[in-house]
């Protein structure tokens, strides 16, 4: 069975309820245009920031930090490839219902076929695609290099996927429901459709 890191892309899954927030993102947002950015951004590449208030940019920074925190904390879980109480607790902390259940089911499917995903993708740049007027909903575009992620099945390296060999755009949606920290409502990359190459 061919396995690739597309398996770790976000998939919305239906599932049981709990007392957490439901996955119903708000629609109020301010879109921005996107353009390639070099490793050292010039003023032109950071111009997107001028379209937002300081409060909105602060919300963007908080949301981005929250996603980075999730990636760092979840990496050992995906590397182990096994469903545990710790994994369930972590998914509940970062995803609304029923999306955290979808994460857990995905991890369970990895365990069944003995798949491990080790390491983190390199992020060349991150910037807002949209930030709501309230600052409680943020959509982030990132240019990501997945070649730093190692996927194995039964101890053998998985076959690489073509689109993952070049930087591609990843879009992350986060919201901050009342009474909760930032939660991840969606992560979209080329695994959910056609490749979206980006310039590092």
């Amino acid at each position: 069975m061919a396995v690739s890191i597309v398996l770790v892309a976000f998939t919305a899954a239906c599932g049981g309820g709990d007392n957490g927030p439901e996955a119903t993102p708000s629609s109020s947002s301010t879109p921005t245009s996107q353009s390639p950015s070099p490793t050292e951004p010039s003023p032109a590449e950071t111009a997107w920031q001028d379209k937002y208030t300081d409060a909105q940019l602060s919300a963007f920074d908080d949301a981005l930090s929250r996603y980075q925190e999730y990636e760092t904390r979840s990496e050992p879980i995906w590397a182990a490839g096994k469903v545990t109480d710790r994994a369930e607790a972590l998914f509940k902390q970062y995803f609304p219902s029923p999306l955290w259940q979808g994460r857990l089911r995905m991890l369970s499917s990895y365990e069944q076929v003995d798949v491990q995903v080790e390491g983190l993708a390199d992020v060349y740049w991150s910037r807002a695609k949209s930030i709501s007027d309230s600052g409680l909903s943020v959509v982030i575009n990132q240019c990501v290099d997945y070649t730093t992620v190692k996927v194995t099945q039964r101890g053998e390296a998985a076959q690489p996927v073509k689109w993952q060999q070049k930087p591609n755009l990843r879009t992350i949606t986060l919201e901050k429901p009342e009474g909760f920290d930032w939660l991840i409502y969606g992560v979209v990359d080329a695994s959910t459709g056609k490749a979206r190459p980006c310039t590092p």
Side-chain angles (χ1 to χ4, degrees):
M1 167 180 181
V3 181
S4 72
I5 58 175
V6 298
L7 294 174
V8 299
F10 186 84
T11 54
C14 299
D18 60 25
N19 294 326
E22 295 297 318
T24 54
S26 63
S27 58
S28 174
S29 61
T30 306
T32 65
S33 60
Q34 299 299 314
S35 59
S37 172
T39 303
E40 296 295 330
S42 69
E45 276 90 32
T46 58
W48 66 268
Q49 298 174 355
D50 298 335
K51 301 179 181 181
Y52 298 106
T53 66
D54 288 345
Q56 287 174 308
L57 292 175
S58 178
F60 169 83
D61 289 339
D62 290 346
L64 178 59
S65 293
R66 176 73 167 169
Y67 185 75
Q68 292 169 333
E69 178 183 279
Y70 163 73
E71 282 203 306
T72 300
R73 292 187 62 194
S74 67
E75 192 276 342
I77 289 172
W78 296 108
K82 296 185 182 301
V83 174
T84 62
D85 291 342
R86 175 174 168 251
E88 180 175 338
L90 186 133
F91 294 151
K92 285 181 178 179
Q93 187 176 348
Y94 289 91
F95 292 90
S97 180
L99 303 182
W100 71 261
Q101 293 97 325
R103 295 274 87 182
L104 202 63
R105 282 194 294 274
M106 181 179 289
L107 183 60
S108 176
S109 70
Y110 283 24
E111 183 174 7
Q112 291 171 19
V113 294
D114 196 13
V115 169
Q116 293 83 37
V117 183
E118 184 178 352
L120 297 175
D122 280 343
V123 178
Y124 292 115
W125 51 256
S126 302
R127 57 178 173 258
K129 180 179 180 182
S130 66
I131 306 173
S132 66
D133 294 338
S134 66
L136 298 177
S137 178
V138 173
V139 181
I140 301 169
N141 272 347
Q142 294 184 320
C143 187
V144 181
D145 177 5
Y146 288 99
T147 60
T148 56
V149 178
K150 178 184 177 183
V151 182
T152 58
Q153 182 176 27
R154 301 183 184 93
E156 299 292 331
Q159 181 177 350
V161 175
K162 185 176 180 180
W163 72 262
Q164 294 165 346
Q165 306 313 301
K166 295 182 179 180
N168 259 264
L169 199 64
R170 176 169 69 184
T171 302
I172 308 159
T173 301
L174 299 102
E175 295 200 6
K176 192 175 185 182
E178 185 175 355
F180 292 87
D181 203 338
W182 287 96
L183 298 176
I184 304 163
Y185 280 78
V187 180
V188 177
D189 60 18
S191 67
T192 58
K194 65 180 182 179
R196 299 187 295 166
C198 56
T199 302

